[in-house]
PDB file of all heavy atoms in Angstrom:
ATOM      1  N   GLY U 139     198.185 -27.362 -69.049  1.00  0.00           N
ATOM      2  CA  GLY U 139     198.175 -28.521 -68.194  1.00  0.00           C
ATOM      3  C   GLY U 139     197.015 -29.479 -68.463  1.00  0.00           C
ATOM      4  O   GLY U 139     197.151 -30.689 -68.417  1.00  0.00           O
ATOM      5  N   SER U 140     195.844 -28.912 -68.722  1.00  0.00           N
ATOM      6  CA  SER U 140     194.667 -29.722 -69.070  1.00  0.00           C
ATOM      7  C   SER U 140     194.926 -30.466 -70.404  1.00  0.00           C
ATOM      8  O   SER U 140     194.529 -31.625 -70.518  1.00  0.00           O
ATOM      9  CB  SER U 140     193.419 -28.860 -69.177  1.00  0.00           C
ATOM     10  OG  SER U 140     193.085 -28.284 -67.909  1.00  0.00           O
ATOM     11  N   GLY U 141     195.603 -29.773 -71.335  1.00  0.00           N
ATOM     12  CA  GLY U 141     195.915 -30.393 -72.625  1.00  0.00           C
ATOM     13  C   GLY U 141     196.818 -31.576 -72.414  1.00  0.00           C
ATOM     14  O   GLY U 141     196.614 -32.658 -73.002  1.00  0.00           O
ATOM     15  N   VAL U 142     197.804 -31.414 -71.607  1.00  0.00           N
ATOM     16  CA  VAL U 142     198.743 -32.513 -71.332  1.00  0.00           C
ATOM     17  C   VAL U 142     198.091 -33.697 -70.628  1.00  0.00           C
ATOM     18  O   VAL U 142     198.336 -34.843 -70.986  1.00  0.00           O
ATOM     19  CB  VAL U 142     199.971 -31.998 -70.443  1.00  0.00           C
ATOM     20  CG1 VAL U 142     200.808 -33.143 -69.973  1.00  0.00           C
ATOM     21  CG2 VAL U 142     200.811 -31.004 -71.263  1.00  0.00           C
ATOM     22  N   ARG U 143     197.218 -33.334 -69.704  1.00  0.00           N
ATOM     23  CA  ARG U 143     196.508 -34.422 -68.977  1.00  0.00           C
ATOM     24  C   ARG U 143     195.603 -35.197 -69.914  1.00  0.00           C
ATOM     25  O   ARG U 143     195.629 -36.441 -69.886  1.00  0.00           O
ATOM     26  CB  ARG U 143     195.614 -33.840 -67.849  1.00  0.00           C
ATOM     27  CG  ARG U 143     196.419 -33.169 -66.735  1.00  0.00           C
ATOM     28  CD  ARG U 143     195.471 -32.747 -65.622  1.00  0.00           C
ATOM     29  NE  ARG U 143     194.994 -33.837 -64.875  1.00  0.00           N
ATOM     30  CZ  ARG U 143     193.848 -33.855 -64.209  1.00  0.00           C
ATOM     31  NH1 ARG U 143     193.069 -32.826 -64.261  1.00  0.00           N
ATOM     32  NH2 ARG U 143     193.466 -34.909 -63.542  1.00  0.00           N
ATOM     33  N   PHE U 144     194.889 -34.515 -70.785  1.00  0.00           N
ATOM     34  CA  PHE U 144     194.024 -35.238 -71.669  1.00  0.00           C
ATOM     35  C   PHE U 144     194.789 -35.949 -72.785  1.00  0.00           C
ATOM     36  O   PHE U 144     194.352 -37.019 -73.301  1.00  0.00           O
ATOM     37  CB  PHE U 144     192.952 -34.313 -72.244  1.00  0.00           C
ATOM     38  CG  PHE U 144     191.805 -34.152 -71.335  1.00  0.00           C
ATOM     39  CD1 PHE U 144     191.743 -33.180 -70.358  1.00  0.00           C
ATOM     40  CD2 PHE U 144     190.717 -35.014 -71.438  1.00  0.00           C
ATOM     41  CE1 PHE U 144     190.672 -33.077 -69.503  1.00  0.00           C
ATOM     42  CE2 PHE U 144     189.626 -34.943 -70.546  1.00  0.00           C
ATOM     43  CZ  PHE U 144     189.616 -33.921 -69.611  1.00  0.00           C
ATOM     44  N   ALA U 145     195.930 -35.409 -73.180  1.00  0.00           N
ATOM     45  CA  ALA U 145     196.793 -36.112 -74.100  1.00  0.00           C
ATOM     46  C   ALA U 145     197.201 -37.456 -73.445  1.00  0.00           C
ATOM     47  O   ALA U 145     197.239 -38.507 -74.162  1.00  0.00           O
ATOM     48  CB  ALA U 145     198.012 -35.291 -74.531  1.00  0.00           C
ATOM     49  N   GLY U 146     197.572 -37.395 -72.184  1.00  0.00           N
ATOM     50  CA  GLY U 146     197.914 -38.639 -71.511  1.00  0.00           C
ATOM     51  C   GLY U 146     196.751 -39.590 -71.444  1.00  0.00           C
ATOM     52  O   GLY U 146     196.850 -40.801 -71.551  1.00  0.00           O
ATOM     53  N   GLY U 147     195.545 -38.987 -71.215  1.00  0.00           N
ATOM     54  CA  GLY U 147     194.317 -39.823 -71.194  1.00  0.00           C
ATOM     55  C   GLY U 147     194.075 -40.528 -72.471  1.00  0.00           C
ATOM     56  O   GLY U 147     193.712 -41.724 -72.524  1.00  0.00           O
TER      57      GLY U 147
END
Side-chain angles (χ1 to χ4, degrees):
S140 295
V142 170
R143 295 185 72 207
F144 275 89

